[in-house]
Amino acid sequence: MNTQPIVFVLSDSVGETAELVVKAGLSQFTNGDYKIQRVPYVEDKETIDEFLQIAKEKRGMIGFTLVDPELRNYLNERSKLMQVEAIDIMGPTLEAMERVFDKSPRQEAGLIHKLDEDYFKKIEAIEFAVKYDDGRDPRGIARADIILVGVSRTSKTPLSQYLAHKRIKVANVPIVPEVDPPEELFEVDPAKCIGLRITADKLNGIRKERLKALGLGDQATYANMDRIHQELDYFDKVINKIKCPVIDVSHKAVEETANLIMRMIQK
């Protein structure tokens, strides 16, 4: 007699969901002394019959997630006939939701993994935005979906993060008269670059508030109008050289600008 519990996990996808549930249950009865055999991508009754027979011979049990109602019902019925314990992990949940939502399930396997893939793309984009923020590594320019170009305080960083949550990889490059923009900026497709323009008065107000927040006087060169005009003139020269689209962010919230950018991408 096999004293080590064995559970066969059958799924029409990779079987991770079923295995996690089975492990959670087994943890209440064992100290890790059990065996789980995952059987992914089950698409036919023959595979079900094969593992029901193996489970019977090994005195094991089956845990399964099958969204196809025909296969799910078949396994439930056959397991009862063969006196093999089988746990329908997904079935009761789907049936309850169908009653509550008054709607049939999609009956597509692996949908949760599509969601996981979407999640990881978002995380990747967020990490990308952090890594290539403020021009710290020009190599990100070639790898980015979008490159934001602008003087300081034109919301480059919050825009990058907002777009990253939409799974868009963004690099941003600050424009400073004393520093030549990276050559990579002039080598990429201009359509991938977006200049963020702002009026001098608006920028002056934003920078004064920023200095106050830092506990500094608002007379610093950073908020000086002559300095601001110098930076904006240099920004125009750089943008004219790149020949890229420009968005005026003077009176726009980050969400508004981000939505404009996403529409530009879609076009």
Side-chain angles (χ1 to χ4, degrees):
M1 179 177 175
N2 181 25
T3 57
Q4 184 188 48
I6 180 167
V7 182
F8 298 91
V9 172
L10 276 64
S11 175
D12 43 21
S13 184
V14 292
E16 287 180 350
T17 303
E19 184 173 346
L20 284 170
V21 174
V22 168
K23 280 183 176 178
L26 286 170
S27 69
Q28 300 293 319
F29 298 94
T30 74
N31 293 315
D33 183 28
Y34 57 78
K35 183 179 179 183
I36 293 178
Q37 182 176 335
R38 199 192 295 186
V39 186
Y41 306 114
V42 175
E43 296 178 343
D44 52 67
K45 294 176 181 178
E46 288 75 17
T47 303
I48 290 173
D49 287 337
E50 178 186 352
F51 282 93
L52 277 170
Q53 186 60 42
I54 294 171
K56 185 177 180 67
E57 291 171 2
K58 293 182 177 291
R59 296 178 179 268
M61 62 185 295
I62 285 176
F64 65 95
T65 51
L66 298 171
V67 297
D68 183 326
E70 184 180 348
L71 291 180
R72 193 166 71 240
N73 291 336
Y74 181 79
L75 203 163
N76 278 319
E77 291 169 5
R78 290 291 297 165
S79 65
K80 288 174 186 174
L81 286 172
M82 296 178 67
Q83 296 184 319
V84 174
E85 196 68 52
I87 308 165
D88 186 351
I89 295 167
M90 186 70 75
T93 303
L94 291 174
E95 288 164 8
M97 288 181 175
E98 187 171 359
R99 289 192 299 272
V100 171
F101 302 143
D102 193 24
K103 184 179 179 180
S104 297
R106 296 184 195 173
Q107 298 180 10
E108 290 180 50
L111 287 178
I112 192 169
H113 298 288
K114 292 179 185 176
L115 292 175
D116 288 344
E117 184 181 353
D118 187 63
Y119 171 78
F120 286 118
K121 282 182 180 178
K122 182 191 294 185
I123 296 301
E124 184 182 359
I126 291 170
E127 291 175 345
F128 187 95
V130 171
K131 184 175 182 179
Y132 299 111
D133 182 47
D134 212 29
R136 64 184 62 175
D137 186 345
R139 291 176 298 180
I141 293 172
R143 301 171 186 169
D145 298 319
I146 288 293
I147 305 102
L148 302 178
V149 183
V151 300
S152 175
R153 312 313 299 174
T154 48
S155 299
K156 295 188 299 298
T157 297
L159 264 173
S160 297
Q161 286 296 325
Y162 188 97
L163 291 166
H165 279 80
K166 305 295 182 182
R167 298 164 299 284
I168 300 168
K169 292 182 179 178
V170 185
N172 72 72
V173 179
I175 298 301
V176 184
E178 293 78 17
V179 180
D180 290 334
E183 283 302 315
E184 290 87 346
L185 195 58
F186 306 104
E187 295 169 356
V188 296
D189 180 355
K192 291 176 64 176
C193 298
I194 296 175
L196 304 177
R197 180 171 280 128
I198 191 169
T199 64
D201 288 341
K202 183 67 176 178
L203 185 57
N204 177 250
I206 293 171
R207 288 189 175 182
K208 282 183 176 180
E209 289 301 315
R210 177 60 176 163
L211 289 170
K212 286 179 186 177
L214 294 172
L216 303 171
D218 61 8
Q219 300 304 311
T221 304
Y222 184 64
N224 179 276
M225 283 298 281
D226 289 338
R227 171 63 185 184
I228 286 174
H229 281 296
Q230 181 189 5
E231 290 186 35
L232 295 179
D233 288 344
Y234 186 62
F235 165 81
D236 285 337
K237 289 178 182 176
V238 172
I239 292 301
N240 288 337
K241 185 177 178 181
I242 300 172
K243 294 182 174 60
C244 67
V246 175
I247 296 175
D248 190 328
V249 299
S250 304
H251 304 288
K252 289 184 177 64
V254 168
E255 293 86 350
E256 288 181 86
T257 307
N259 287 333
L260 279 173
I261 291 170
M262 286 189 288
R263 283 203 291 270
M264 292 166 72
I265 293 171
Q266 288 165 1
K267 287 179 182 179

